[in-house]
Amino acid sequence: MTAPLLKCEELSVRFNIKGGSLHAVESLSFSVGRGECVGIVGESGSGKTQSCMALMGLLPRNGAATGSVRFRGQEILNAPRKAMDRIRGDSIGMVFQDSMAGLTPFMRIGEQLCEALVEHKGMNNAQARARALEVLDILQFPQPKRRFGMYPHELSGGMRQRVMIALALACKPDLIIADEPTTALDITIQAQILEFMAGLKRHTDTAIIMITHDFGVAAELCDRVIVMYAGRMVESGNVADIFDRPQHPYTQALLRATPRLDSDPDAGLPLIPGRPPDLQHLPAGCSFADRCTQVMARCRTERPPLMPAFDAHLSACFRNGQS
Ligand SMILES: Nc1ncnc2c1ncn2[C@@H]1O[C@H](COP(=O)(O)OP(=O)(O)O)[C@@H](O)[C@H]1O
Ligand SMILES: [Mg+2]
C-alpha cells in the first residue's frame, strides 16, 4: 500500500483564553489519499476549521497544536514558517469561506494570481499571465481579461470565490482544503462551484478536504466523510455508508436535519434540540449525551472511544452495531 498523501494523527488544538484554556480539537486522526475527497461535516463550532488551520500552520496566536501531520511522508505540524509558506503556495491550496479573507484587498486580482505563479512555479510574467487566464477560463470566470485589473471588492461574491479557487489551483497543488467554499453564495453559483470541484476530482489527481456543514455537499463530492462533534471525530466512513447506515446518533440526527432535495429550501433547517457542550467544561462521558435520544446511563460517565462499527467504518458510540 502506498503512503497516504496526508496523514493526521492525534491532532489536538488548544486555545488559551481568559481564565483558562479550551480544547477545540481533540485526538483527530485521519488520512487523505491521492485524488481522494474527504468531507469534514459538523455543526458550527465543532472544530472543522481549526483542525485545518492547525495542519496548515495557521492557528490564531492563542492556539497550539499537538500530534502529528505528515504530508507526502514529511512531518509538517508546527514546521518552520518558511517551510509552511512554501508548502501552502505550492502543494496545498486553500479556499476559505469568506473570499475577502483569502485575497489581498489592495492588489488587483491578476497581480495576485501571477505573483503566486512567479513565486512558487518560477514562471516569468508572461507565462504566469497565460496560466492565470487559463485557470480563470476553466472556472468559467466571465471576461477574465477585462477583470484581470480589478480589485477584489469590485467583484461579486461568486466571482471572488472563483478567483480564490483559481489562486488555490493555479500552482497545481496535490491537495485543496476548501472550508465551506460555497456557504456565502447564492444557490446557482454554489451549484456551479460544486460542479467545478466535482470535475476537478474526476479529471485530475487533486485530493480535496471539503469542510461543510451541509451533508448534501458531502454526498455530491466526497468519497469519505468525517463527522465532528465538540472537537472530536464521532464517526467516519465511506460516503454511501454514512448516508445508508449512519451509526452515531449525532450523524443520524444531522441527516434527519438535512433538507431533502424536494423540500422547500426556504423552510430552514430543523435543528437538533439542545446545544453542543461548552468546550471549556466538557462532560466526563459522551459530549453528545445531553442531546442524544438513545442515551444510556453509561454514556454519562464514560467517554465512548472510536470503535469499528463494521469494515473501516468508525463510530464513537456504545450502541455501535446495535442500531
Ligand atoms: N482564537 C480562538 N480563541 C479561542 N477559541 C477559539 C478561537 N478560534 C476558534 N475557537 C473555538 O474553537 C472551536 C472550534 O472552532 P472552529 O474550528 O472554527 O469550528 P467550525 O469550523 O467547526 O465551525 C469553537 O468553539 C471556537 O469558539
Ligand atoms: Mg468553520
Side-chain angles (χ1 to χ4, degrees):
M1 228 178 87
T2 53
L5 180 66
L6 182 85
K7 191 171 169 76
C8 193
E9 283 174 299
E10 302 283 318
L11 177 67
S12 295
V13 176
R14 240 177 202 292
F15 286 109
N16 283 318
I17 52 171
K18 227 172 152 189
S21 71
L22 63 83
H23 235 141
V25 179
E26 199 172 326
S27 297
L28 182 65
S29 300
F30 68 99
S31 54
V32 184
R34 275 189 190 274
E36 192 180 26
C37 178
V38 174
I40 305 183
V41 181
E43 284 166 298
S44 168
S46 54
K48 306 180 298 294
T49 295
Q50 297 309 325
S51 316
C52 290
M53 289 302 178
L55 66 90
M56 297 301 297
L58 292 175
L59 280 179
R61 262 173 215 279
N62 62 331
T66 56
S68 161
V69 177
R70 289 178 169 269
F71 181 65
R72 296 190 299 215
Q74 184 197 346
E75 180 63 52
I76 61 166
L77 190 66
N78 300 320
R81 203 184 136 167
K82 251 195 162 151
M84 284 317 292
D85 283 347
R86 193 166 56 237
I87 289 173
R88 275 200 303 270
D90 200 21
S91 317
I92 307 183
M94 288 200 302
V95 181
F96 299 93
Q97 175 174 357
D98 171 8
S99 54
M100 279 314 247
L103 298 171
T104 311
F106 49 81
M107 246 171 105
R108 297 172 198 273
I109 60 159
E111 284 172 66
Q112 301 194 39
L113 285 162
C114 292
E115 185 187 59
L117 289 160
V118 169
E119 203 167 297
H120 291 289
K121 293 287 155 180
M123 291 184 179
N124 63 34
N125 288 337
Q127 289 165 328
R129 185 182 160 86
R131 169 75 184 147
L133 286 170
E134 178 194 25
V135 180
L136 287 176
D137 200 47
I138 296 171
L139 283 164
Q140 295 178 24
F141 185 86
Q143 300 179 290
K145 273 191 187 142
R146 191 171 74 76
R147 295 208 164 86
F148 225 53
M150 289 187 170
Y151 291 94
H153 72 264
E154 296 179 281
L155 302 173
S156 69
M159 280 195 257
R160 260 202 316 266
Q161 203 64 3
R162 271 172 236 220
V163 172
M164 194 164 39
I165 295 174
L167 201 55
L169 282 176
C171 295
K172 300 196 174 144
D174 294 323
L175 174 67
I176 294 229
I177 300 178
D179 189 353
E180 314 229 13
T182 61
T183 302
L185 306 174
D186 76 50
I187 293 277
T188 332
I189 297 175
Q190 273 188 29
Q192 282 172 8
I193 289 182
L194 288 178
E195 184 45 46
F196 168 77
M197 306 276 295
L200 183 72
K201 218 189 91 183
R202 277 196 299 274
H203 303 302
T204 70
D205 206 17
T206 316
I208 302 172
I209 295 179
M210 184 75 179
I211 300 179
T212 175
H213 62 257
D214 182 346
F215 263 114
V217 170
E220 211 165 305
L221 212 60
C222 300
D223 304 302
R224 275 191 304 126
V225 174
I226 291 167
V227 181
M228 287 187 73
Y229 186 75
R232 300 200 187 103
M233 183 195 292
V234 294
E235 182 156 7
S236 82
N238 292 327
V239 67
D241 291 328
I242 291 280
F243 281 89
D244 296 342
R245 7 184 211 165
Q247 298 295 306
H248 199 284
Y250 176 60
T251 312
Q252 293 165 0
L254 268 186
L255 282 166
R256 278 196 299 273
T258 301
R260 290 162 40 142
L261 282 178
D262 54 4
S263 68
D264 177 4
D266 296 326
L269 279 183
L271 296 172
I272 306 171
R275 306 159 111 261
D278 176 356
L279 294 175
Q280 237 187 315
H281 307 283
L282 282 175
C286 174
S287 299
F288 190 60
D290 279 346
R291 302 170 82 185
C292 184
T293 53
Q294 303 169 48
V295 65
M296 304 182 287
R298 183 182 180 192
C299 309
R300 306 263 182 209
T301 53
E302 254 182 274
R303 181 187 298 170
L306 269 176
M307 297 170 276
F310 52 86
D311 308 329
H313 195 107
L314 301 174
S315 164
C317 178
F318 291 126
R319 287 191 188 273
N320 255 1
Q322 293 173 24
S323 53

